[in-house]
Amino acid sequence: MYLGLDLGTSGLKSILIDDAQNVVAEASAPLSVKRPHDGWSEQMPSDWIGAAESVLGKLARHGLGALRGIGLSGQMHGATLLDAADDVLRPCILWNDTRAHAEARVLDEDPDFRAITGNIVFPGFTAPKLVWVARHEPAIFAQVARVLLPKDYLRLWLTGEHVAEMSDAAGTSWFDTGRRDWSDALLAKTGMTRAQMPRLVEGSEVSGILRPELAERFGIPKGVVVAGGGGDNAASGIGVGVVKAGQAFVSLGTSGVLFAANDGYQPDPATAVHTFCHALPGTWHQMGVILAATDALNWFARLAGSAASDLTADLGGLIAPEKTLFLPYLGGERTPLNDAAIRGAFIGLEHATDRTAATRAVLEGVTFAIRDCRDALAATGTKIESLLAVGGGSRSRYWCQAIATALGTPVSLPVAGDFGGAFGAARLALMAATGAGAEIATQPTISAVIEPVLALSDAFDEGHARYRRAAAAIRGLT
């Protein structure tokens, strides 16, 4: 059996698979986020260990005597700061923490960062957070002996090893993404050194061996390998079999992601596309990221005093976008705007705008934001030949049909099941333990293919053009 652990922001999820990749057991444990100041988002790494103990305890009741490998997936960009004794110096600064926006702006003005990393320096990335710590918490910065990403702190507990892998490291702003190595030049520009970084492995390689005391505690055989794993979206790419050029998936979760695999390295930072290493050797991936997908729908559901599922249940067939327009920038936006200050808006409200019309506008607004991501990826030369939809929002056929129509691409829906980060991490564990490669990362069985409504293509083109004009108009006003 092979275990995947996915350390998310709201919880730790685990999936146990057998050697035929059938899911044997699942377990999860919740996590909470602390926001002590406006724009801050933190978690205590000790909570991650508590969650892992809980999950492994639950799975141990199923029996872990056949376990051969463990894979890790996790939220990216978090700054977990350790001293020389591996003690945590402060709460981890998470991916959605924006306190380092000024520091990110200064780093991004240095052309070396985009040239070497292939990415804009976003406020949520790791390097500007360390610059912020150096400026505002110098006593802590002086003690930093190692910086680990969240899932890699979990690895430290599992193996005793300080290790990162390529897909997660590529989101730090310290990484030479084309060469798949730390950049000594970029580290030096932020007052850091390679000695403070974990060593690097590929996601499908062995990063360490499970500590004997943990194996004994949870009934696991000695010598179980821990794979490098992947950042959450790269691991999800492995989980849904998006590993070759032309393959892509759209994730409609709290945030929205359009993820495309690439056989080569083709960055274009000006588009605000993320260009990162994939979790397999010799492959890269690109992502357009929007900060509010189902988060926008859930926000409107709270405003309307209704469950999100009730709002989307009675929409009927797809119709052309109407006058009411929604901009989903509830907490800023990444692709393609790179604007932490912009905020959302309803535009074109009229007497005829009822709850149903507003719901459709919210779904269309997120859809147009996803189209922005597609256009940004296309500007780098990336072509999407097949598109899978995953995440909670993919349960809405209306939403999937809107996306298919706006992008002009059929949207495939996998059969019921979780093919996300935990499943991808379990696949990476299988690879590390057996020497298997990308051939085992097959795509799931498809339950339905949602075709574009060609009669509405022009209407969605016009709606997207109006959306783009509205986005330009509100910048600086919100």
Side-chain angles (χ1 to χ4, degrees):
M1 296 190 296
Y2 306 91
L3 174 63
L5 297 173
D6 180 28
L7 178 59
T9 314
S10 59
L12 176 68
K13 183 166 188 177
S14 65
I15 286 181
L16 192 65
I17 64 173
D18 62 19
D19 53 6
Q21 301 189 45
N22 299 308
V23 176
V24 177
E26 301 180 53
S28 61
L31 293 166
S32 60
V33 174
K34 291 182 170 51
R35 299 182 180 276
H37 303 285
D38 183 43
W40 289 33
S41 179
E42 299 182 338
Q43 283 179 332
M44 283 303 300
S46 57
D47 292 344
W48 305 335
I49 303 305
E53 291 174 323
S54 172
V55 161
L56 289 172
K58 293 173 184 176
L59 292 176
R61 293 196 286 272
H62 291 274
L64 294 173
L67 191 65
R68 296 294 179 268
I70 300 172
L72 299 172
S73 165
Q75 50 172 303
M76 296 178 66
H77 315 304
T80 311
L81 310 185
L82 309 180
D83 66 13
D86 285 338
D87 291 328
V88 175
L89 290 167
R90 67 168 332 281
C92 177
I93 307 175
L94 300 186
W95 63 276
N96 54 353
D97 187 295
T98 58
R99 76 184 72 177
H101 58 89
E103 289 79 8
R105 184 171 59 252
V106 171
L107 296 183
D108 195 51
E109 289 170 352
D110 181 337
D112 287 349
F113 278 89
R114 292 193 184 190
I116 294 172
T117 70
N119 293 279
I120 290 171
V121 182
F122 288 94
F125 283 13
T126 319
K129 293 169 181 169
L130 268 292
V131 178
W132 184 93
V133 172
R135 181 172 299 164
H136 297 277
E137 300 174 346
I140 289 175
F141 185 78
Q143 299 178 68
V144 174
R146 196 87 61 173
V147 180
L148 294 182
L149 295 157
K151 80 174 193 318
D152 299 328
Y153 183 77
L154 201 56
R155 185 196 318 277
L156 176 63
W157 176 72
L158 289 168
T159 67
E161 301 278 350
H162 304 95
V163 182
E165 49 69 44
M166 309 302 176
S167 68
D168 219 353
T172 61
S173 293
W174 287 316
F175 198 69
D176 187 327
T177 308
R179 292 179 56 246
R180 303 173 87 89
D181 192 14
W182 299 116
S183 166
D184 294 300
L186 298 185
L187 287 164
K189 288 173 183 284
T190 58
M192 306 293 293
T193 69
R194 184 179 287 260
Q196 293 169 299
M197 297 295 106
R199 67 179 174 88
L200 293 163
V201 299
E202 295 288 352
S204 56
E205 291 180 340
V206 174
S207 68
I209 305 297
L210 184 67
R211 292 191 292 127
E213 54 267 39
L214 291 179
E216 182 177 359
R217 178 178 170 187
F218 295 108
I220 298 171
K222 292 183 179 179
V224 165
V225 302
V226 177
D232 48 6
N233 287 299
S236 292
I238 302 296
V240 297
V242 173
V243 296
K244 298 178 181 177
Q247 298 175 333
F249 72 83
V250 58
S251 175
L252 297 173
T254 301
S255 59
V257 175
L258 184 63
F259 178 109
N262 297 104
D263 294 336
Y265 176 55
Q266 48 191 61
D268 187 356
T271 63
V273 165
H274 297 350
T275 302
F276 294 154
C277 300
H278 209 333
L280 294 173
T283 60
W284 285 259
H285 70 83
Q286 290 181 315
M287 294 188 296
V289 178
I290 65 171
L291 296 180
T294 61
D295 198 32
L297 179 61
N298 291 332
W299 165 83
F300 180 66
R302 291 192 299 271
L303 201 66
S306 179
S309 57
D310 292 338
L311 290 176
T312 59
D314 301 321
L315 294 179
L318 189 69
I319 68 171
E322 298 178 308
K323 288 183 180 179
T324 303
L325 186 67
F326 177 71
L327 302 169
Y329 312 135
L330 300 179
E333 192 55 291
R334 283 201 186 175
T335 311
L337 304 181
N338 185 29
D339 190 336
I342 195 171
R343 291 296 180 265
F346 273 112
I347 292 176
L349 293 171
E350 56 184 350
H351 292 297
T353 305
D354 57 13
R355 192 173 78 161
T356 299
T359 300
R360 283 197 297 261
V362 170
L363 300 185
E364 290 161 3
V366 175
T367 295
F368 291 144
I370 295 291
R371 175 161 165 166
D372 277 352
C373 292
R374 192 281 307 272
D375 292 347
L377 264 65
T380 74
T382 294
K383 296 181 180 179
I384 295 175
E385 298 168 3
S386 65
L387 183 64
L388 290 161
V390 298
S394 66
R395 290 193 289 268
S396 168
R397 291 296 182 97
Y398 190 97
W399 209 347
C400 290
Q401 194 154 57
I403 291 171
T405 303
L407 271 60
T409 304
V411 173
S412 298
L413 301 179
V415 295
D418 190 330
F419 302 99
F423 186 70
R427 281 180 157 179
L428 290 166
L430 192 159
M431 293 179 194
T434 67
E439 72 280 355
I440 71 158
T442 55
Q443 296 201 342
T445 302
I446 300 303
S447 65
V449 177
I450 309 299
E451 296 287 345
V453 181
L454 298 181
L456 297 176
S457 295
D458 289 347
F460 271 81
D461 288 346
E462 293 166 5
H464 178 248
R466 196 159 64 90
Y467 171 91
R468 295 290 297 153
R469 293 195 299 271
I474 68 167
R475 293 189 85 169
L477 297 178
T478 57

